[in-house]
Amino acid sequence: MSTYAPASATRPGRPRVIPRAASAATPRDEILHAAAELFVNRGFAATSTRDIAEKVGIRQASLYYHFAGKPGILAELLELSVRPSLEKVERIERECPAEVPEAALYLLALIDADTLATVPHNIGRLYRMPDVRSSEVFGEFEPALQELTAAYGRLGAQVVSGPVAATVTTDQLGGLLIQAVEVVIRIRSRGATVTPAQARAIAATCLRICGVPEVRIARASVTADEHLYPGTMIRTIGDQAHTSK
Amino acid sequence: MSTYAPASATRPGRPRVIPRAASAATPRDEILHAAAELFVNRGFAATSTRDIAEKVGIRQASLYYHFAGKPGILAELLELSVRPSLEKVERIERECPAEVPEAALYLLALIDADTLATVPHNIGRLYRMPDVRSSEVFGEFEPALQELTAAYGRLGAQVVSGPVAATVTTDQLGGLLIQAVEVVIRIRSRGATVTPAQARAIAATCLRICGVPEVRIARASVTADEHLYPGTMIRTIGDQAHTSK
């Protein structure tokens, strides 16, 4: 089955023999991965820097060499789940051909679904956790999330049908669209992987939510393809299964 | 502004003078409300039965008279967020006229949006929290959630368009639809209320996700109305603002 493979997924059947040297991951990445797994599965408040250091196999002091404590790690993980999509919004808006405005929302949804499908340990879940929302770094992250939601609303409003425009504000549309793409988080929470075909179906769903007719959705998909390849718009589409939740 | 008001919302500007007698809520309800607020805002693991008892203003021993501890309270709160919708699925399927099959999904989405909009303290969030998912009672709750998701998929599959059927399985459709309705949780997490008009827009969104044309969505909405009133299908649509998150 063709699935998204996170860039840093361990290869199946290849247990790490020599702890550090055999891995391409930097100590910094290893800390982020370990923290992601602990935060998502155990909770942010319930995880200590000692837990993280132990999981990586380093001393607690070494962890502080790379990060200013738990909030710094959380801040970086939160960024990871939003920043890659947000960074591409400007490019999408600039490059999308005027005659196929639907391709812009399609591309954003596809790229964002890809981001959420490939981040380690389904960290898209983090920002909804109460202990994360009440943490000191959440306030710094929230504007980025609002900016991404606003981008969904803006791109959606450009292609919205009459009945949708009459019943859904641009702000509400942004919420409906980002919510739809976050089905990726739901799928991964159940232990399943998200295939590229599913990501495309999610992008098409976003256009349907806006009331875009099927012929224009098909055209948006073709136009989006021309801008995805060759390119850096999508990070990883592999055919390698991964098991991280 | 017309908004959903939870049945047990405190009236604005009427602080409780005599703790128990002035309130229509039973001690059991008061415990559920206090626990809901603490679980959602502080976390399940981080809340003790002592915290809950203190918030209600009763002794810890009295709490155990009503509930078999924290897991029992959580189990009831999880049920509250799913059971009211699930219980109506059979009736929806039975009563929905065969000539307007779209009305069934519209009704389920509307009723479920109503459930999520009126449960105290946005407890629809609970089941996504790691400490809740790893609790002993989550396993008992999960089948109900899966049943509700399957109902969405089943009702969606009855009205799905060709292009949607070709790209989305019934199982995936169920996930997309329940995910869309859970935008209510997202809206409430931001401190906003969900209006009946928004709930209708969410129900219409579900039909758009299935590829249902606008004329049939409009007809589904009219048919759904005939089955909602007079009735017990929707619990509360008021015009009273509430502030609980």
Side-chain angles (χ1 to χ4, degrees):
Chain A
M1 190 174 68
S2 180
T3 54
Y4 283 102
S8 48
T10 1
R11 291 189 192 83
R14 283 199 54 192
R16 190 196 288 177
V17 183
I18 307 156
R20 180 66 37 77
S23 164
T26 64
R28 196 182 156 81
D29 281 345
E30 291 194 39
I31 293 166
L32 283 173
H33 268 261
E37 187 173 349
L38 289 165
F39 291 170
V40 164
N41 295 323
R42 188 185 295 181
F44 173 66
T47 300
S48 67
T49 49
R50 176 188 290 267
D51 296 331
I52 301 166
E54 261 176 26
K55 196 168 180 69
V56 180
I58 58 173
R59 283 176 309 133
Q60 217 174 335
S62 312
L63 187 147
Y64 281 96
Y65 174 80
H66 297 284
F67 291 98
K70 225 168 58 150
I73 300 175
L74 176 64
E76 189 144 335
L77 290 175
L78 288 172
E79 283 285 304
L80 271 178
S81 68
V82 167
R83 188 60 59 188
S85 302
L86 201 50
E87 275 172 354
K88 295 184 188 85
V89 169
E90 202 196 335
R91 183 170 154 198
I92 290 170
E93 295 193 280
R94 196 178 57 234
E95 292 189 3
C96 182
E99 64 275 20
V100 195
E102 297 85 0
L105 175 58
Y106 188 95
L107 262 176
L108 176 60
L110 194 57
I111 287 166
D112 199 20
D114 176 68
T115 300
L116 294 174
T118 53
V119 286
H121 302 292
N122 205 7
I123 52 170
R125 285 172 66 182
L126 281 176
Y127 85 82
R128 306 191 299 202
M129 287 159 46
D131 46 0
V132 168
R133 294 183 91 91
S134 62
S135 78
E136 52 192 296
V137 297
F138 184 72
E140 296 162 32
F141 161 78
E142 214 176 7
L145 181 67
Q146 286 168 350
E147 208 185 313
L148 185 59
T149 310
Y152 272 107
R154 196 167 61 242
L155 298 186
Q158 284 173 14
V159 298
V160 92
S161 71
V164 175
T167 50
V168 181
T169 67
T170 299
D171 189 44
Q172 288 165 356
L173 186 60
L176 282 170
L177 294 171
I178 197 168
Q179 176 73 17
V181 173
E182 285 185 3
V183 78
V184 170
I185 300 173
R186 176 178 219 99
I187 294 165
R188 292 187 69 187
S189 291
R190 291 171 55 196
T193 49
V194 176
T195 64
Q198 269 179 290
R200 290 184 167 274
I202 291 165
T205 296
C206 284
L207 290 179
R208 288 188 192 105
I209 288 173
C210 296
V212 173
E214 289 298 330
V215 282
R216 297 187 73 94
I217 295 176
R219 201 174 55 165
S221 164
V222 171
T223 305
D225 274 352
E226 293 163 7
H227 288 262
L228 277 174
Y229 314 104
T232 55
M233 295 291 261
I234 279 199
R235 291 183 297 166
T236 324
I237 299 186
D239 55 357
Q240 186 180 29
H242 73 96
T243 54
S244 68
K245 296 181 186 181
Chain B
M1 188 176 69
S2 181
T3 55
Y4 283 103
S8 47
T10 0
R11 290 187 192 85
R14 282 200 54 190
R16 189 197 287 178
V17 184
I18 305 155
R20 180 66 37 77
S23 165
T26 64
R28 198 183 155 79
D29 282 345
E30 290 194 41
I31 292 166
L32 282 174
H33 267 261
E37 186 174 349
L38 289 166
F39 291 170
V40 164
N41 295 323
R42 188 185 295 182
F44 174 66
T47 300
S48 66
T49 49
R50 175 188 289 269
D51 296 331
I52 301 166
E54 260 177 26
K55 195 168 180 72
V56 179
I58 58 173
R59 282 175 311 130
Q60 218 175 331
S62 312
L63 186 146
Y64 281 95
Y65 175 79
H66 296 284
F67 291 97
K70 226 169 55 153
I73 300 175
L74 176 64
E76 188 143 338
L77 289 175
L78 287 172
E79 282 285 304
L80 271 178
S81 68
V82 166
R83 190 58 60 188
S85 303
L86 201 50
E87 275 172 353
K88 296 184 187 85
V89 168
E90 202 196 337
R91 182 169 156 198
I92 290 170
E93 296 194 278
R94 197 177 57 235
E95 292 190 3
C96 182
E99 64 275 20
V100 195
E102 298 86 359
L105 175 59
Y106 188 96
L107 262 175
L108 175 60
L110 194 57
I111 286 165
D112 198 21
D114 176 70
T115 299
L116 293 174
T118 54
V119 286
H121 302 292
N122 204 8
I123 52 170
R125 285 172 66 181
L126 280 177
Y127 86 82
R128 305 191 301 202
M129 288 160 44
D131 47 359
V132 168
R133 294 182 91 91
S134 60
S135 78
E136 52 192 294
V137 297
F138 184 71
E140 296 162 33
F141 160 77
E142 215 176 7
L145 181 67
Q146 285 168 350
E147 207 185 315
L148 185 58
T149 310
Y152 272 107
R154 197 167 60 242
L155 298 185
Q158 284 173 14
V159 297
V160 92
S161 72
V164 175
T167 50
V168 181
T169 67
T170 299
D171 188 44
Q172 288 165 356
L173 186 62
L176 282 170
L177 295 170
I178 197 168
Q179 175 74 15
V181 173
E182 286 186 3
V183 77
V184 169
I185 299 173
R186 176 177 219 100
I187 294 165
R188 292 186 70 187
S189 291
R190 291 171 55 196
T193 49
V194 176
T195 64
Q198 269 179 290
R200 292 185 164 273
I202 292 165
T205 295
C206 284
L207 290 180
R208 286 187 193 107
I209 287 173
C210 296
V212 173
E214 289 299 331
V215 283
R216 297 186 73 94
I217 295 176
R219 203 174 54 166
S221 163
V222 171
T223 305
D225 274 352
E226 292 163 7
H227 289 262
L228 277 175
Y229 314 106
T232 55
M233 294 289 261
I234 279 200
R235 291 182 299 167
T236 324
I237 298 186
D239 55 357
Q240 186 181 28
H242 72 95
T243 54
S244 70
K245 295 180 188 182

